[in-house]
Amino acid sequence: MGRGDHVAKIKRETLRKRIEKDLRNQLNEKKIVGNHYEDLVQDYLSLWDLKCNLIEDIETNGIKVTGMHGPKSNPSINDLHKTNDRMLKILDALSLEASPEEKNSPSKPKRSAKDLV
C-alpha cells in the first residue's frame, strides 16, 4: 500500500464516519428510533463500502476485463448499479437523504462519454 492509498483510505474512513453521523442525525431529527433502523443504517454503510470497492475495481481494471472468450464488460459495473439501487431503497425506507458529504464525494471518479463505450 503506497502513501497515496493510505491517505485515500483515511479520507474514506473519515467520510464514512461523517455519512454515518449524518444519517443518525437525520433519524434523530425525524424521531425515528429503534434497533431495526440502526441496523438499516449499518446495512447502508456496508453497501457504501462495497460501492467504494466496486468503483476502485472499475478504476483499476477498466470497463472491459478479460473473459473466457475475449474481452467482456467488467462485472463490477452491473454490481455497482445494483448496489446504488439498494442504497437508495434503504434511504427511502428510512425517509432519509444522502449525506451532503457523500453527494459531493471527491472519491467519485470523473466520468466522461468515453466511459460509456
Side-chain angles (χ1 to χ4, degrees), residues 36-101:
H36 172 70
Y37 300 110
E38 292 295 324
D39 190 50
L40 283 173
V41 168
Q42 291 307 312
D43 288 348
Y44 181 87
L45 292 168
S46 293
L47 288 169
W48 186 83
D49 291 334
L50 176 60
K51 179 190 85 161
C52 292
N53 291 336
L54 291 168
I55 289 170
E56 281 180 16
D57 179 68
I58 294 166
E59 287 174 346
T60 302
N61 297 311
I63 60 171
K64 296 281 185 191
V65 295
T66 304
M68 219 168 168
H69 305 289
K72 67 175 191 169
S73 182
N74 186 334
S76 291
I77 295 170
N78 192 36
D79 293 345
L80 179 60
H81 291 296
K82 290 177 184 177
T83 302
N84 278 328
D85 286 344
R86 281 282 161 223
M87 291 171 72
L88 291 172
K89 286 179 182 177
I90 289 174
L91 290 178
D92 189 48
L94 293 171
S95 301
L96 302 180
E97 296 179 5
S99 166
E101 287 92 357

Side-chain angles (χ1 to χ4, degrees), residues 12-28 38-39 41-46 48 96 99 101-102:
R12 189 157 117 184
E13 288 173 5
T14 301
L15 180 57
R16 188 185 196 281
K17 288 176 186 173
R18 288 180 184 166
I19 291 168
E20 180 177 13
K21 182 179 177 186
D22 182 68
L23 293 176
R24 289 181 191 279
N25 287 342
Q26 287 184 56
L27 285 175
N28 290 335
E38 292 295 324
D39 190 50
V41 168
Q42 291 307 312
D43 288 348
Y44 181 87
L45 292 168
S46 293
W48 186 83
L96 302 180
S99 166
E101 287 92 357
E102 187 174 8

